Amino acid sequence: MKSYDLVTPAGTSDLLPPEVKRLRAAENALCTLFEAHGFSEIATTELEFMDVFNLKSRHFPSEGLYKAIDDKGRLLALRPDSTMPIARLAASRLRAYSSLKLYYNQKVYRNSPGARRRNDELRQMGVELIGEQAGINSDLETAKLALDIFGLLPEGTKCILEIGDIGITKMLLELLPVSVEIKEQLRNAVETKNSPELDEILKGIDCDEGLKKQLLKLPTLYGNESSFEKAFSIFTDNAVLGRITKLHEFYQKLVSLNDRKNTYITVDFGCANKMDYYTGTIIRGYIENAGEAVINGGRYDNLISEFDSSLNKPAIGFAVNMDIFAANLQAEKISNTPHKLRIALTKGRLEKKAIELFEEIGFDCTEVHEKGRRLILNVKSSDLSFEVVLAKPNDVITYVESGVCDLGIVGKDTILEDGGKFFEVLDLGFGRCRFAVAGKKGLKTSTAIKTIATKYPKVARSFYDGRGADIDIVKIEGSVELAPLLGLSDAIVDIVETGSTLVENGLEVYEDIVNLSARLIANRVSLKMYRNDIRKLFKDIKSKLKD
Ligand code: PRP
């Protein structure tokens, strides 16, 4: 039997003395800060009953939990989050306290087998302000504390403290006459800044066109003071405008409190986190060159009353990703050379089309044309230059997700099959094709499909699962049309562009699944960190797409 006694499970890692030293320095810095602000440390059990994480708005996807079974056969889970266990305590042993200011330093566990870079054991420190003290003024206290955390970083570290209000998206979605499932799809499109998808779903909804226009603005409405001016001119609902007014006051107070060079306060009107327990203010912190947020949190006024409906305890808090924070706390040299955008292009057909597009908007792409075997190439116009990286489709997503590339151009087929965490900002209109089910000509009605051959097993699985059909899927790496011809499968799920491969091999489309095209994707921190350069590029690209 194979033995695993020398390795750690996927997504976990040991820390050696220098790494522990670095982590402890970061923990001590935050402990000192939190204690100075009157927070007391709390530690919750690592193992909880599943119910803590899967009731009402506390729903944490079951597949993301590490589970165990107790001696009575009840389901337990390693905590995937610290806020829910702390809310449980606030509703039980700490219920007598009208106000609580707590901080924690503990790990959370998330089972993430599909992730490109697994991190199943996350080290987090965070704060929770609960009860009377968590009134509306505490938004400012909490956000100021996040600013103080940036204040611990070496001078010159570029940081962003972003605020938002999840209530804006929630309220606008409530005005739509659609099912909870469609609202969830729309929320997801707003959260991932997926304007093409948002547009597509809204087209199919029969409702006020003005409301659709407002929803369509959410993904792109982020930035500084000028975004508030835009927001006041876009939204019409009084309750939404009321929230924007409060957010604006909050923003202005934070700007006046921020005395740190290289730290910027921004707003994002398209905050629509998946964590259902958030009810209002959202707080996020970004550090340059970290591919994901270092601080994440917000207001959750109803979570504690879900544990005990007789309680009314508003609350707000955030968690700090300790791996990112510790790595930046002791960063030795902060570069002050301006950042050069880096764009990952999918090699081959999409690369050619992308370069054509860049040339049309005034970029000199000579280095790409004369690349030889080089993989990182410079592209420049009169006022912007960036690096182009050439990569395989799935790697484009990997580079963008991790933040080593700011933007990427990749086919929607790869996005649907491989997923990932990024913003999907533009449909570039080229590389148009579709996913379809196809098989031998003339057999469409007589073939009971049981076996599908495909290069896209997740797409095929999700398509047939959606119909409740029990299908065997065979993964094929290329020329998938061979499978039904050789008798390996009844049909294929594949890309159809011109249709000539099917025709020349005596096959035909049985059914279309979804239209595809090339997409521009962005790293979730880069989009905010290099807002001006990226906006300029988007504007030029969009103007060409309209032509
Ligand atoms: C894709 C796809 C089809 C073909 C469809 O294959 O898997 O085989 O293109 O194009 P058409 O409708 O214009 O004929 P690709 O060229 O990427 O090669 P592969 O099958 O070897 O992966």
Short mmCIF file of all heavy atoms in Angstrom, two decimals, residues 435-466:
data_model
loop_
_atom_site.label_atom_id
_atom_site.label_comp_id
_atom_site.label_asym_id
_atom_site.label_seq_id
_atom_site.Cartn_x
_atom_site.Cartn_y
_atom_site.Cartn_z
N PHE A 435 -20.51 25.66 -28.24
CA PHE A 435 -20.48 24.29 -27.76
C PHE A 435 -21.72 23.60 -28.30
O PHE A 435 -22.82 24.18 -28.27
CB PHE A 435 -20.55 24.24 -26.23
CG PHE A 435 -19.21 24.28 -25.54
CD1 PHE A 435 -19.01 25.10 -24.44
CD2 PHE A 435 -18.17 23.46 -25.96
CE1 PHE A 435 -17.78 25.13 -23.78
CE2 PHE A 435 -16.94 23.48 -25.31
CZ PHE A 435 -16.75 24.32 -24.23
N ALA A 436 -21.54 22.38 -28.82
CA ALA A 436 -22.71 21.65 -29.33
C ALA A 436 -22.56 20.16 -29.07
O ALA A 436 -21.45 19.66 -28.85
CB ALA A 436 -22.86 21.91 -30.83
N VAL A 437 -23.70 19.46 -29.09
CA VAL A 437 -23.69 18.00 -29.07
C VAL A 437 -23.76 17.57 -30.53
O VAL A 437 -24.59 18.08 -31.29
CB VAL A 437 -24.93 17.44 -28.33
CG1 VAL A 437 -24.86 15.91 -28.26
CG2 VAL A 437 -25.07 18.04 -26.95
N ALA A 438 -22.88 16.67 -30.94
CA ALA A 438 -22.90 16.22 -32.34
C ALA A 438 -22.68 14.71 -32.39
O ALA A 438 -22.16 14.11 -31.45
CB ALA A 438 -21.80 16.94 -33.12
N GLY A 439 -23.10 14.14 -33.51
CA GLY A 439 -22.92 12.69 -33.67
C GLY A 439 -23.09 12.31 -35.13
O GLY A 439 -23.16 13.20 -36.01
N LYS A 440 -23.18 11.02 -35.40
CA LYS A 440 -23.27 10.56 -36.78
C LYS A 440 -24.53 11.09 -37.45
O LYS A 440 -25.60 11.14 -36.82
CB LYS A 440 -23.28 9.03 -36.81
CG LYS A 440 -21.89 8.42 -36.67
CD LYS A 440 -21.99 6.94 -36.97
CE LYS A 440 -20.72 6.23 -36.63
NZ LYS A 440 -20.91 4.79 -36.56
N LYS A 441 -24.37 11.46 -38.72
CA LYS A 441 -25.47 12.05 -39.48
C LYS A 441 -26.65 11.07 -39.55
O LYS A 441 -26.47 9.87 -39.74
CB LYS A 441 -24.98 12.36 -40.89
CG LYS A 441 -25.63 13.55 -41.46
CD LYS A 441 -24.96 14.01 -42.71
CE LYS A 441 -25.89 15.07 -43.28
NZ LYS A 441 -25.62 15.40 -44.60
N GLY A 442 -27.85 11.63 -39.37
CA GLY A 442 -29.06 10.83 -39.55
C GLY A 442 -29.47 10.02 -38.34
O GLY A 442 -30.52 9.38 -38.35
N LEU A 443 -28.66 10.02 -37.28
CA LEU A 443 -28.99 9.17 -36.12
C LEU A 443 -29.56 9.97 -34.94
O LEU A 443 -29.81 9.42 -33.88
CB LEU A 443 -27.75 8.40 -35.64
CG LEU A 443 -27.14 7.40 -36.62
CD1 LEU A 443 -25.96 6.68 -35.99
CD2 LEU A 443 -28.19 6.36 -37.05
N LYS A 444 -29.74 11.30 -35.15
CA LYS A 444 -30.11 12.19 -34.05
C LYS A 444 -31.30 11.66 -33.24
O LYS A 444 -31.26 11.61 -32.02
CB LYS A 444 -30.44 13.57 -34.61
CG LYS A 444 -30.80 14.57 -33.53
CD LYS A 444 -31.12 15.92 -34.13
CE LYS A 444 -31.66 16.82 -33.05
NZ LYS A 444 -32.07 18.10 -33.59
N THR A 445 -32.36 11.28 -33.93
CA THR A 445 -33.57 10.88 -33.21
C THR A 445 -33.51 9.44 -32.69
O THR A 445 -34.11 9.11 -31.69
CB THR A 445 -34.82 11.06 -34.09
OG1 THR A 445 -34.51 10.51 -35.36
CG2 THR A 445 -35.23 12.49 -34.19
N SER A 446 -32.73 8.60 -33.40
CA SER A 446 -32.74 7.19 -32.99
C SER A 446 -31.67 6.86 -31.94
O SER A 446 -31.75 5.83 -31.27
CB SER A 446 -32.53 6.30 -34.22
OG SER A 446 -31.31 6.65 -34.83
N THR A 447 -30.67 7.77 -31.76
CA THR A 447 -29.60 7.44 -30.82
C THR A 447 -30.00 7.84 -29.39
O THR A 447 -30.24 9.01 -29.11
CB THR A 447 -28.32 8.22 -31.18
OG1 THR A 447 -28.08 8.02 -32.55
CG2 THR A 447 -27.12 7.76 -30.37
N ALA A 448 -30.05 6.84 -28.52
CA ALA A 448 -30.25 7.15 -27.10
C ALA A 448 -28.85 7.40 -26.55
O ALA A 448 -28.05 6.46 -26.44
CB ALA A 448 -30.90 5.98 -26.40
N ILE A 449 -28.54 8.66 -26.26
CA ILE A 449 -27.16 8.99 -25.88
C ILE A 449 -26.85 8.53 -24.46
O ILE A 449 -27.52 8.90 -23.50
CB ILE A 449 -26.91 10.50 -26.03
CG1 ILE A 449 -27.05 10.88 -27.50
CG2 ILE A 449 -25.52 10.88 -25.51
CD1 ILE A 449 -26.92 12.35 -27.78
N LYS A 450 -25.83 7.69 -24.37
CA LYS A 450 -25.41 7.19 -23.06
C LYS A 450 -23.93 7.55 -22.81
O LYS A 450 -23.54 7.83 -21.70
CB LYS A 450 -25.62 5.65 -23.04
CG LYS A 450 -25.12 4.96 -21.79
CD LYS A 450 -25.98 5.27 -20.57
CE LYS A 450 -25.38 4.64 -19.31
NZ LYS A 450 -25.47 5.45 -18.15
N THR A 451 -23.15 7.57 -23.92
CA THR A 451 -21.73 7.88 -23.77
C THR A 451 -21.36 9.10 -24.61
O THR A 451 -21.68 9.17 -25.79
CB THR A 451 -20.87 6.69 -24.24
OG1 THR A 451 -21.36 5.52 -23.60
CG2 THR A 451 -19.41 6.87 -23.89
N ILE A 452 -20.70 10.05 -23.94
CA ILE A 452 -20.26 11.28 -24.62
C ILE A 452 -18.74 11.35 -24.58
O ILE A 452 -18.14 11.17 -23.52
CB ILE A 452 -20.84 12.53 -23.89
CG1 ILE A 452 -22.34 12.66 -24.13
CG2 ILE A 452 -20.11 13.81 -24.26
CD1 ILE A 452 -22.73 13.21 -25.48
N ALA A 453 -18.13 11.61 -25.72
CA ALA A 453 -16.69 11.85 -25.75
C ALA A 453 -16.49 13.37 -25.85
O ALA A 453 -17.22 14.05 -26.56
CB ALA A 453 -16.06 11.16 -26.95
N THR A 454 -15.51 13.89 -25.14
CA THR A 454 -15.33 15.34 -25.14
C THR A 454 -13.97 15.76 -24.60
O THR A 454 -13.36 15.04 -23.81
CB THR A 454 -16.45 16.02 -24.30
OG1 THR A 454 -16.30 17.43 -24.39
CG2 THR A 454 -16.39 15.61 -22.83
N LYS A 455 -13.53 16.96 -25.05
CA LYS A 455 -12.34 17.58 -24.46
C LYS A 455 -12.77 18.41 -23.25
O LYS A 455 -11.94 18.96 -22.55
CB LYS A 455 -11.70 18.53 -25.48
CG LYS A 455 -10.97 17.83 -26.60
CD LYS A 455 -10.18 18.83 -27.45
CE LYS A 455 -11.05 19.47 -28.51
NZ LYS A 455 -10.34 20.32 -29.47
N TYR A 456 -14.08 18.55 -23.06
CA TYR A 456 -14.63 19.44 -22.02
C TYR A 456 -15.55 18.66 -21.07
O TYR A 456 -16.78 18.86 -21.08
CB TYR A 456 -15.41 20.58 -22.69
CG TYR A 456 -14.56 21.39 -23.64
CD1 TYR A 456 -14.47 21.05 -25.00
CD2 TYR A 456 -13.83 22.49 -23.19
CE1 TYR A 456 -13.67 21.79 -25.87
CE2 TYR A 456 -13.03 23.23 -24.05
CZ TYR A 456 -12.96 22.87 -25.38
OH TYR A 456 -12.17 23.60 -26.23
N PRO A 457 -14.99 17.78 -20.24
CA PRO A 457 -15.84 16.94 -19.39
C PRO A 457 -16.71 17.71 -18.40
O PRO A 457 -17.86 17.31 -18.16
CB PRO A 457 -14.84 16.03 -18.65
CG PRO A 457 -13.50 16.63 -18.85
CD PRO A 457 -13.55 17.44 -20.10
N LYS A 458 -16.21 18.84 -17.87
CA LYS A 458 -17.04 19.57 -16.88
C LYS A 458 -18.23 20.21 -17.57
O LYS A 458 -19.34 20.23 -17.03
CB LYS A 458 -16.20 20.65 -16.18
CG LYS A 458 -15.28 20.07 -15.14
CD LYS A 458 -14.68 21.20 -14.30
CE LYS A 458 -13.40 20.73 -13.66
NZ LYS A 458 -12.43 21.79 -13.46
N VAL A 459 -18.00 20.76 -18.77
CA VAL A 459 -19.10 21.39 -19.51
C VAL A 459 -20.15 20.33 -19.84
O VAL A 459 -21.35 20.53 -19.64
CB VAL A 459 -18.57 22.05 -20.81
CG1 VAL A 459 -19.71 22.49 -21.71
CG2 VAL A 459 -17.68 23.24 -20.45
N ALA A 460 -19.69 19.16 -20.34
CA ALA A 460 -20.62 18.09 -20.71
C ALA A 460 -21.38 17.60 -19.48
O ALA A 460 -22.61 17.44 -19.51
CB ALA A 460 -19.85 16.94 -21.35
N ARG A 461 -20.65 17.42 -18.37
CA ARG A 461 -21.29 16.94 -17.13
C ARG A 461 -22.36 17.91 -16.67
O ARG A 461 -23.49 17.54 -16.36
CB ARG A 461 -20.20 16.72 -16.07
CG ARG A 461 -20.64 16.39 -14.69
CD ARG A 461 -21.33 15.04 -14.54
NE ARG A 461 -20.51 13.91 -14.91
CZ ARG A 461 -20.99 12.78 -15.46
NH1 ARG A 461 -22.28 12.65 -15.70
NH2 ARG A 461 -20.19 11.79 -15.77
N SER A 462 -22.00 19.19 -16.66
CA SER A 462 -22.96 20.18 -16.16
C SER A 462 -24.19 20.28 -17.08
O SER A 462 -25.32 20.41 -16.62
CB SER A 462 -22.22 21.49 -15.97
OG SER A 462 -22.95 22.56 -16.39
N PHE A 463 -23.98 20.16 -18.41
CA PHE A 463 -25.09 20.21 -19.36
C PHE A 463 -26.06 19.05 -19.11
O PHE A 463 -27.28 19.24 -18.99
CB PHE A 463 -24.54 20.17 -20.79
CG PHE A 463 -25.61 20.15 -21.84
CD1 PHE A 463 -26.43 21.25 -22.04
CD2 PHE A 463 -25.79 19.03 -22.64
CE1 PHE A 463 -27.41 21.24 -23.03
CE2 PHE A 463 -26.77 19.00 -23.63
CZ PHE A 463 -27.59 20.11 -23.82
N TYR A 464 -25.53 17.84 -18.99
CA TYR A 464 -26.42 16.69 -18.82
C TYR A 464 -26.95 16.59 -17.39
O TYR A 464 -28.09 16.15 -17.19
CB TYR A 464 -25.71 15.39 -19.26
CG TYR A 464 -25.70 15.30 -20.78
CD1 TYR A 464 -24.54 15.55 -21.50
CD2 TYR A 464 -26.86 15.01 -21.48
CE1 TYR A 464 -24.54 15.51 -22.89
CE2 TYR A 464 -26.87 14.96 -22.86
CZ TYR A 464 -25.71 15.21 -23.57
OH TYR A 464 -25.74 15.16 -24.94
N ASP A 465 -26.17 17.02 -16.39
CA ASP A 465 -26.70 17.03 -15.01
C ASP A 465 -27.91 17.96 -14.93
O ASP A 465 -28.89 17.67 -14.25
CB ASP A 465 -25.63 17.53 -14.02
CG ASP A 465 -24.65 16.43 -13.63
OD1 ASP A 465 -24.84 15.28 -14.10
OD2 ASP A 465 -23.69 16.71 -12.89
N GLY A 466 -27.81 19.09 -15.65
CA GLY A 466 -28.90 20.07 -15.66
C GLY A 466 -30.19 19.46 -16.19
O GLY A 466 -31.28 19.95 -15.91
#
